[in-house]
Amino acid sequence: MENIKLSYQTMTGETQAIKDISFTVEAGDFIAIVGPSGCGKSTLLSCVAGLTQPTSGQVIINGKKVDSINRYTGYMMQTDNLLPWRTIYSNVLLGLEIQKKLTEENIAYAEHLLQKYGLWSFRDSYPSALSGGMRQRVSLIRTLAVKPDLLLLDEAFSALDYQTRLNVSRDVYSILRSEKKTMLMVTHDIPEAVSLCDRVLVLSQRPAVIAADIRCDFGPGRDPVAVRNTQLYHTYFDRVWKEMAE
Ligand code: ADP
Ligand code: MG
């Protein structure tokens, strides 16, 4: 992200959402973006996906400027967006279908993901038969089936109850790590940000700038639920909390 600035033009005037944001994400990094409601977090993700163009500045992925919807990214939101009239299997193939990439190889990969992540026996079920947590996992697999390098999660777990949220976030963590993906995640949940991510970017009030960039290093092989009992976790939590309070 290079000097991203973004203003929305509305009937009543101009809303400056992002003042000036720059940061670099390495392949394989998990980054959390936290900040007050309405400060421009979703806008930022939208720029990375190429759905919104910044007023000035640029997003560069793998050396190329993002100037339209880009195929490097997959997007996951609060609602799972599964189509209720399609089975789990045909929901998972939807992205490939839309992108006209229903090749034998891609179908095999989607089936492999369903098997590896415990959803194969539900392939002929409809979304209504699955729990919220399972539906979010199906949604993730559908996103992964088109092989994006970078996953954008916008409050992806916030509609789930606490227990499910813990389990799903742990699943998503291990799935994205084992598929060697890069993740940019917006959340308002500090525990989620600290326990899942290598770095937490704290945004200011709108118009957003980066108020703090906090590294959360727990060493190799972290378990996002178990780390919550460590001293280090509390140290990182306090740092993020203090920055947000300011
Ligand atoms: P966050 O995700 O951090 O809650 P958003 O990125 O959704 O914040 O929005 C940032 C600011 O931009 C808010 O003040 C919001 O009202 C405004 N905004 C977002 N989308 C639009 C839009 N399409 N048109 C006009 N204003 C918008
Ligand atoms: Mg938002």
Side-chain angles (χ1 to χ4, degrees):
M1 312 287 285
E2 282 184 2
N3 299 106
I4 301 295
K5 301 181 172 75
L6 194 143
S7 299
Y8 287 110
Q9 308 298 331
T10 60
M11 299 288 277
T12 49
E14 191 180 78
T15 304
Q16 198 187 4
I18 299 173
K19 188 172 183 185
D20 190 353
I21 286 189
S22 300
F23 63 93
T24 302
V25 176
E26 301 295 331
D29 271 356
F30 284 12
I31 311 286
I33 297 169
V34 299
S37 179
C39 77
K41 303 181 293 297
S42 297
T43 300
L44 202 56
L45 284 197
S46 183
C47 290
V48 177
L51 297 168
T52 303
Q53 290 304 315
T55 310
S56 69
Q58 52 185 359
V59 181
I60 296 173
I61 303 183
N62 294 341
K64 275 179 62 186
K65 181 179 174 178
V66 174
D67 52 13
S68 58
I69 295 178
N70 73 73
R71 299 282 176 228
Y72 295 112
T73 53
Y75 220 134
M76 245 184 105
M77 308 199 190
Q78 194 173 338
T79 53
D80 54 57
N81 290 314
L82 298 179
L83 301 178
W85 60 87
R86 283 182 165 234
T87 62
I88 297 309
Y89 187 81
S90 73
N91 260 293
V92 162
L93 295 184
L94 183 67
L96 291 171
E97 208 175 297
I98 290 171
Q99 294 187 12
K100 300 195 169 34
K101 291 202 286 202
L102 274 178
T103 62
E104 235 170 74
E105 186 197 344
N106 288 338
I107 293 172
Y109 179 61
E111 291 181 351
H112 157 82
L113 292 173
L114 278 172
Q115 281 163 354
K116 187 169 175 190
Y117 301 117
L119 290 158
W120 184 244
S121 57
F122 294 92
R123 65 189 179 282
D124 295 325
S125 305
Y126 289 89
S128 59
L130 272 63
S131 69
M134 289 167 87
R135 285 204 299 269
Q136 269 312 48
R137 239 158 62 215
V138 174
S139 169
L140 178 65
I141 288 173
R142 180 176 64 186
T143 307
L144 291 175
V146 296
K147 299 187 177 156
D149 295 326
L150 172 63
L151 273 294
L152 306 174
L153 276 63
D154 196 349
E155 312 265 7
F157 312 124
S158 54
L160 304 169
D161 65 77
Y162 182 71
Q163 191 70 32
T164 308
R165 187 179 178 132
L166 277 184
N167 287 327
V168 172
S169 60
R170 174 155 60 185
D171 288 348
V172 167
Y173 178 89
S174 67
I175 293 170
L176 295 188
R177 280 283 193 237
S178 86
E179 301 298 319
K180 298 192 167 38
K181 301 296 180 186
T182 307
M183 175 174 80
L184 207 51
M185 174 176 109
V186 164
T187 178
H188 55 251
D189 189 272
I190 304 178
E192 203 163 273
V194 169
S195 65
L196 294 175
C197 292
D198 305 306
R199 260 165 82 197
V200 178
L201 305 180
V202 181
L203 301 192
S204 68
Q205 295 277 6
R206 184 175 65 79
V209 296
I210 296 178
D213 182 345
I214 297 161
R215 195 158 278 284
C216 300
D217 188 3
F218 293 99
R222 89 162 77 176
D223 174 333
V225 177
V227 292
R228 294 180 185 223
N229 292 318
T230 62
Q231 189 52 48
L232 256 182
Y233 167 84
H234 294 290
T235 308
Y236 297 141
F237 180 99
D238 286 343
R239 248 180 240 169
V240 175
W241 177 260
K242 280 204 188 83
E243 292 293 342
M244 285 191 69
E246 279 170 22

